[in-house]
């Protein structure tokens, strides 16, 4: 099949001074590439260079086997659309007017829209759910609405590739998901290739075919999400010193409370995370268990608990592990259990709750 977009020894920077050198990217048509990295790492510089808003300092960029440097502005505008965070100057323009400017690569010298152009504009606005604000002043809508109108404008170009810089920054959860769903739909239906940067790591992992990791000096990694989201890597890439990020679960947690555990938490199956976080907010150190390593609660427990009594996934819980958990309960002032009844594979935790009651510990059952 071969590549659709490719960079070869691309160097980017400002005023002739390279910031990041030898960037090697290769994408098939219809792939989504996401750039991640700390603020100021060079993500926007890379995107602006690809979009020809910044001069390429070194190397070559290919689009559909052609050198982009040799492509005319009109030719490029029919293949590539760009959505950046800079606010568009749109005096006295409605949202529909702004979206319709995406058709200019196809209109005549006077910029008049044909019936076919109008249909494309209407379809694009429907696709990103901005039809209801089509007649409103573009300068008087919210940042989130403005971002969706700009996406409609880009879609109106009917591009083969779209460049987006932090497109979800001003969107609430509902529109973040809708926005990325639109990109996936365009990728599947029209073979749209997407290159973008976003801050939300969990979204990057879910929407991307490939991820480019930039650290401010060079590209650290380029690969598929399962190759990038390896345990401990995000802490290194972003220089996380306080709190934690778990790559396997996309769980971000604050710093654990200091000191010896005062509370023992019995939970599992995702029922313990809210308890762990409540105790952390209160500054109460706690122990957790017994948790299987594949339990939904385990990533949060590993980040927030002073001690976790863990069992290997799919292996029976041993008497030694139960004894260890009971000894930890003995050292705590109280016990919190997320449930009062237990399933077949939770008999060890049922035994721990009974033990806590029998030994006179203060017990709080939340279910």
């Amino acid at each position: 099949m071969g590549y659709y977009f490719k960079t070869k020894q691309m160097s980017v920077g400002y005023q002739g001074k390279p910031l990041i050198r030898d960037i090697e990217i290769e994408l098939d048509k219809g792939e989504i590439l996401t750039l991640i990295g700390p603020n100021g790492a060079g993500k926007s510089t890379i995107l602006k260079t690809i979009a020809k808003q910044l001069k390429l300092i070194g190397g070559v960029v290919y689009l559909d086997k052609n050198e982009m440097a040799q492509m005319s502005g009109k030719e490029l505008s029919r293949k590539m659309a760009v959505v950046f965070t800079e606010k568009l100057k749109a005096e006295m323009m409605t949202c529909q007017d702004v979206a319709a400017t995406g058709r200019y690569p196809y209109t005549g010298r006077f910029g008049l829209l044909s019936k076919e152009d109008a249909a494309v504009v209407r379809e694009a606005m429907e696709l990103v759910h901005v039809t209801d604000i089509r007649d409103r002043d573009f300068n008087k809508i919210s940042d989130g609405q403005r971002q969706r109108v700009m996406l409609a404008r880009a879609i109106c170009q009917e591009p083969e590739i779209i460049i987006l810089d932090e497109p979800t920054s001003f969107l609430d959860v509902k529109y973040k998901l809708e926005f990325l769903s639109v990109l996936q739909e365009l990728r599947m239906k029209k073979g749209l290739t997407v290159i973008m940067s976003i801050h939300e790591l969990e979204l990057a992992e879910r929407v991307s075919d490939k991820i480019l990791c930039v650290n401010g000096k060079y590209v650290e990694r380029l690969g598929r999400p399962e190759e990038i989201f390896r345990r401990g890597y995000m802490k290194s890439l972003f220089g996380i010193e306080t709190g934690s990020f778990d790559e396997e679960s996309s769980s971000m947690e604050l710093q654990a409370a200091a000191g010896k555990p005062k509370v023992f938490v019995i939970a599992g199956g995702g029922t313990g995370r809210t308890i762990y976080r409540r105790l952390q907010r209160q500054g109460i150190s706690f122990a957790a268990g017994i948790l299987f390593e594949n339990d939904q609660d385990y990533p949060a427990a590993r980040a927030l608990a002073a001690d976790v009594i863990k069992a290997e996934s799919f292996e029976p819980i041993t008497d030694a592990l139960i004894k260890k958990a009971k000894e930890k309960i003995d050292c705590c002032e109280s016990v919190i259990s997320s449930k009062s009844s237990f399933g077949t594979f939770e008999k060890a935790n049922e035994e721990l709750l009974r033990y806590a009651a029998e030994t006179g510990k203060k017990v709080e059952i939340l279910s």
Side-chain angles (χ1 to χ4, degrees):
M1 183 174 168
Y3 67 86
Y4 173 74
F5 175 87
K6 182 177 181 178
T7 67
K8 187 175 181 181
Q9 296 183 315
M10 180 173 77
S11 294
V12 303
Y14 298 89
Q15 299 176 336
K17 297 180 180 179
L19 174 67
I20 301 174
R21 303 175 186 266
D22 298 328
I23 302 168
E24 302 279 345
I25 302 170
E26 188 169 314
L27 299 175
D28 291 333
K29 190 172 181 62
E31 286 194 306
I32 296 178
L33 170 71
T34 301
L35 280 60
I36 64 172
N39 287 336
K43 303 184 297 294
S44 294
T45 305
I46 292 173
L47 294 177
K48 288 179 178 179
T49 304
I50 293 171
K52 297 186 73 173
Q53 293 188 3
L54 289 176
K55 186 176 180 181
L56 183 66
I57 292 179
V60 186
V61 180
Y62 297 96
L63 182 62
D64 199 16
K65 304 295 192 299
N66 299 309
E67 282 193 39
M68 280 181 53
Q70 305 302 319
M71 297 172 69
S72 68
K74 187 167 186 178
E75 184 182 5
L76 188 59
S77 66
R78 288 193 174 197
K79 284 186 172 289
M80 177 185 287
V82 178
V83 180
F84 285 163
T85 53
E86 290 89 348
K87 289 188 177 180
L88 177 73
K89 294 180 180 179
E91 297 298 327
M92 305 296 290
M93 294 179 71
T94 65
C95 295
Q96 183 167 289
D97 293 336
V98 171
T101 61
R103 293 304 297 165
Y104 286 172
Y106 302 91
T107 61
R109 62 194 305 180
F110 298 110
L112 299 176
L113 298 184
S114 66
K115 289 183 179 179
E116 290 77 13
D117 292 322
V120 172
V121 174
R122 184 168 57 252
E123 181 184 358
M125 297 188 77
E126 289 173 355
L127 195 59
V128 297
H129 309 290
V130 291
T131 304
D132 59 330
I133 60 170
R134 62 181 178 273
D135 296 323
R136 290 182 59 184
D137 187 330
F138 180 76
N139 289 321
K140 294 181 180 179
I141 60 176
S142 70
D143 287 334
Q145 290 171 324
R146 192 175 292 116
Q147 194 77 339
R148 286 186 285 138
V149 171
M150 294 303 292
L151 179 59
R153 176 178 181 254
I155 293 170
C156 284
Q157 286 181 234
E158 297 182 295
E160 295 179 7
I161 183 170
I162 188 169
I163 313 297
L164 305 126
D165 189 13
E166 302 293 350
T168 58
S169 295
F170 302 111
L171 303 180
D172 60 28
V173 173
K174 175 178 185 285
Y175 290 121
K176 283 181 196 290
L177 296 174
E178 284 189 2
F179 190 98
L180 297 176
S181 296
V182 167
L183 292 183
Q184 284 194 326
E185 186 177 348
L186 291 170
R187 183 268 299 272
M188 291 184 284
K189 288 185 176 180
K190 299 186 178 182
L192 179 70
T193 303
V194 179
I195 301 177
M196 64 178 173
S197 63
I198 55 177
H199 278 305
E200 300 92 335
L201 297 179
E202 69 279 11
L203 295 181
E205 182 182 11
R206 285 158 176 72
V207 77
S208 309
D209 294 297
K210 293 178 181 176
I211 294 177
L212 187 80
C213 304
V214 188
N215 74 355
K217 297 179 181 178
Y218 51 86
V219 170
E220 281 195 357
R221 295 185 183 182
L222 171 64
R224 302 201 174 277
E226 59 270 23
E227 298 169 332
I228 298 299
F229 284 85
R230 300 284 180 86
R231 183 175 296 177
Y233 177 58
M234 292 302 136
K235 183 176 182 178
S236 170
L237 177 63
F238 286 88
I240 298 172
E241 297 179 355
T242 303
S244 66
F245 179 86
D246 184 82
E247 287 83 356
E248 294 176 359
S249 64
S250 297
S251 173
M252 186 186 303
E253 304 294 349
L254 298 175
Q255 190 170 14
K260 294 181 179 180
K262 296 180 179 180
V263 178
F264 190 95
V265 180
I266 300 172
T271 63
R273 290 172 292 189
T274 55
I275 303 172
Y276 306 154
R277 290 164 185 161
R278 173 168 61 84
L279 292 171
Q280 188 275 339
R281 289 194 299 271
Q282 295 172 343
I284 299 173
S285 181
F286 66 93
I290 298 171
L291 290 171
F292 289 105
E293 290 180 315
N294 64 344
D295 193 285
Q296 290 174 291
D297 282 333
Y298 182 65
R302 185 173 59 199
L304 297 176
D307 194 8
V308 182
I309 312 300
K310 63 178 182 178
E312 289 187 34
S313 304
F314 310 112
E315 293 292 334
I317 294 175
T318 63
D319 291 339
L321 206 56
I322 295 174
K323 180 183 178 183
K324 182 179 179 182
K326 288 179 178 178
E327 290 172 351
K328 186 60 65 175
I329 289 174
D330 291 338
C331 297
C332 291
E333 298 173 4
S334 62
V335 172
I336 297 176
S337 177
S338 66
K339 55 181 71 177
S340 57
S341 60
F342 298 83
T344 303
F345 299 101
E346 299 176 300
K347 293 303 180 183
N349 282 344
E350 184 176 16
E351 182 178 339
L352 293 182
L353 181 60
R354 186 168 55 251
Y355 175 80
E358 290 172 352
T359 55
K361 291 291 178 181
K362 178 183 176 182
V363 176
E364 180 182 2
I365 301 175
L366 299 182
S367 63

